[in-house]
Each structure stands twice: as C-alpha cells, then as structure tokens.
Amino acid sequence: GAYHAKYPQLIRPILQAENQYSKQRRVLPITLKAARGQYIAVCEGDDYWINPAKLQTQVEFLEKHQECAISCHCVPAIAAETQEQLFRWPSPAFKSGMYGTEQLMEENFIPTCSVVFRRAHLPVLPEELRVVKIGDWPLWVFISRNGGIMFIEEPMAHYRVHGRGAWSSLSPLGQLEGIKDLFEVFLRHLDRRLKPACRKKLAELYYDIAIIHSKNSPKQSVNEFALKALYAARSSFSRKTVDLIKLLFRTNFPRLYHRLCRVKKWQCC
C-alpha cells in the first residue's frame, strides 16, 4: 500500500489471492523464495523491532565474521493484551557469544524476529518438514551447518504472546509431540555427527510424553513412548532409565508393583 508507493526501491509486496495460512501453507517459505538481497532478516505478524540500528549491527557483524552463519539476539516476550513483559527468550542463561548446531538442537534459542542470515545459506529442506508443526527451528538448524550462531544479549525486538498463536494454543502434550515429530525428521536427515544429539533429545521427549500419557491414557500409549525412550537412550544409563522401567512395571503389573513398593520401600514413580 502506502509504504510500497513511498519506498518502491525498498518494499516489494508479495500479494496472494487467498489466505495461504488458512490452507495449511506456511508464509515464510514463500517470502524466502522471493528474497533477492544478500542478507535475510525476519519479522513475522505480531512481532516488532525496537532498535533502529538492529539490522546494521547484525549485518556488520556477519560481514566481519564469514565463519558465522546466523546472527540473533535476546527478545523480551510481551503480553499482547497488557503489554506486560512475560519472559526473556532465550533464558538469561544464554550470554553473548558464538554457539553451534548442537546447542541449538538442545533448545531453540533463536527468536524468529531476531534472526539475520546470508541468503546464500538458504537450505533445501526435507519434504517431511512440510507437515511438522514447527517451521523456524528446522530452518535455523539446517542454516547453522554452514557456520556459527552469534547470539547478542541486547534486546532489539519484541515477541508478542497471545492465546491465538498457532504454537501457544497447543496443549503441553501437543507441543511435545510437535517437537518429537521434528526431531524424528532430524534423525533421518542430519549429518552423522549430529545424530547423538538427536537421540538424546528424542529420549527426553519420549520420556516426557510417556509421563503425561501415564496420567490418563491407555497403557499402549505409555508402553510405546517409554520403550522408545529406553531405546533412544540405550547407550547411557541414568535415573530416568530406572524411572522408565518402574513406569512400565507399574503400567503393566500395577498390583505387583504396589506390593513391591510396600515390601521394598521403592520410591514410586
């Protein structure tokens, strides 16, 4: 509209005849495909930038550090209705510095509205990711295989939180299942050096899903994810391994399990 008319050399609208998101089509791949510049910065929907020097700061860093594939920064999460700051993304545990793909697979510490990366590093993503509920995390993971991730603690954007968000509206189980689906794709498509990190994350996800299912789901669901967690973590033994064995025992042999709890004074899981 008006901004395109005023700055035609800077703004290029990508118009659609129909709402693509309502047709289960993500908008980000459409815009990335149309990008022409050397660098790409992302700012979606409700989010907004708050520092006029943001892009200059990040692009200058990438220009000076060719070994770096992504620049990102801290983003406060703001309640859409009250404008109250809810939390910092990522957590304060993340300090300014260079990170790698392995750390990114442990936790998505890259807010979408904070990212700047080189267009030359845009990957061809596996087709399976089209049906995964998470769109940005896999993109950052595949881009990060080209170099480091520079994280800056300075907040230069705001992430707006509201109940209508596609992700925030999911239940805890729905979110865990979405991340689980993503890492199962990672396990099939990422380099061999990253597979141990995939299996470790999947073991944690399967464990958490099994615990949720143990509260009100059929025992088949509990057995499925408890066994998957044990298999994914087969190369290591931890307290969670013991908890999973107890969970399977309790689910399939509840009377015997509780009798042993009384006799052996087990700590019931």
Side-chain angles (χ1 to χ4, degrees):
Y3 278 105
H4 169 56
K6 189 173 182 180
Y7 305 104
Q9 75 282 11
L10 296 177
I11 297 175
R12 183 162 49 94
I14 303 170
L15 305 177
Q16 304 291 312
E18 297 179 277
N19 186 309
Q20 297 300 302
Y21 194 79
S22 67
K23 294 180 171 295
Q24 308 300 314
R25 296 171 185 161
R26 291 198 176 102
V27 176
L28 187 57
I30 298 172
T31 56
L32 292 177
K33 187 177 180 179
R36 298 174 181 173
Q38 183 179 354
Y39 294 95
I40 294 176
V42 182
C43 188
E44 291 183 316
D46 295 341
D47 305 336
Y48 53 96
W49 297 336
I50 59 174
N51 187 329
K54 166 188 156 62
L55 296 181
Q56 181 179 351
T57 299
Q58 293 180 268
V59 168
E60 285 181 352
F61 181 88
L62 290 170
E63 284 284 303
K64 293 177 182 177
H65 298 273
Q66 294 299 313
E67 76 283 4
C68 183
I70 299 174
S71 171
C72 61
H73 56 77
C74 159
V75 169
I78 305 297
E81 292 78 12
T82 64
Q83 301 304 305
E84 173 190 3
Q85 181 171 326
L86 302 175
F87 56 88
R88 180 194 124 153
W89 184 11
S91 71
F94 280 86
K95 306 298 181 184
S96 293
M98 196 78 77
Y99 294 84
T101 308
E102 289 83 356
Q103 286 116 330
L104 180 58
M105 292 176 68
E106 291 175 9
E107 176 184 345
N108 182 13
F109 59 85
I110 302 180
T112 303
C113 60
S114 80
V115 74
V116 177
F117 61 92
R118 294 182 177 84
R119 184 167 65 90
H121 287 162
L122 268 176
V124 177
L125 296 174
E127 284 293 318
E128 295 171 83
L129 288 173
R130 290 182 180 273
V131 296
V132 172
K133 293 185 178 77
I134 305 170
D136 53 354
W137 196 354
L139 181 59
W140 314 149
V141 166
F142 278 89
I143 292 173
S144 71
R145 296 184 303 170
N146 295 285
I149 305 165
M150 181 61 196
F151 174 73
I152 304 166
E153 286 185 77
E154 181 184 358
M156 293 188 280
H158 279 167
Y159 165 61
R160 205 191 309 259
V161 179
H162 56 79
R164 301 181 305 277
W167 183 254
S168 57
S169 62
L170 291 175
S171 67
L173 178 59
Q175 292 184 354
L176 286 171
E177 288 175 337
I179 301 172
K180 180 264 298 180
D181 292 343
L182 171 61
F183 274 80
E184 288 178 341
V185 176
F186 281 163
L187 189 61
R188 290 190 287 272
H189 291 278
L190 286 178
D191 312 332
R192 180 179 296 180
R193 69 179 179 88
L194 296 172
K195 290 189 183 296
C198 284
R199 293 191 183 97
K200 178 183 176 184
K201 186 69 175 180
L202 278 170
E204 295 171 358
L205 292 164
Y206 291 146
Y207 175 87
D208 291 339
I209 292 172
I211 294 298
I212 291 178
H213 278 308
S214 70
K215 301 183 188 306
N216 52 21
S217 298
K219 69 177 183 180
Q220 291 86 349
S221 298
V222 181
N223 289 340
E224 176 188 355
F225 288 100
L227 289 171
K228 282 184 174 181
L230 286 171
Y231 184 75
R234 61 191 180 276
S235 60
S236 61
F237 188 90
S238 67
R239 174 56 190 270
K240 284 189 175 182
T241 307
V242 177
D243 289 343
L244 285 165
I245 293 171
K246 287 184 179 182
L247 178 60
L248 285 167
F249 200 10
R250 186 188 75 186
T251 300
N252 295 281
F253 309 100
R255 291 183 180 179
L256 180 57
Y257 174 80
H258 289 294
R259 186 177 299 174
L260 285 171
C261 281
R262 291 195 296 271
V263 174
K264 296 292 187 180
K265 295 183 179 179
W266 283 6
Q267 182 178 354
C268 296
C269 58

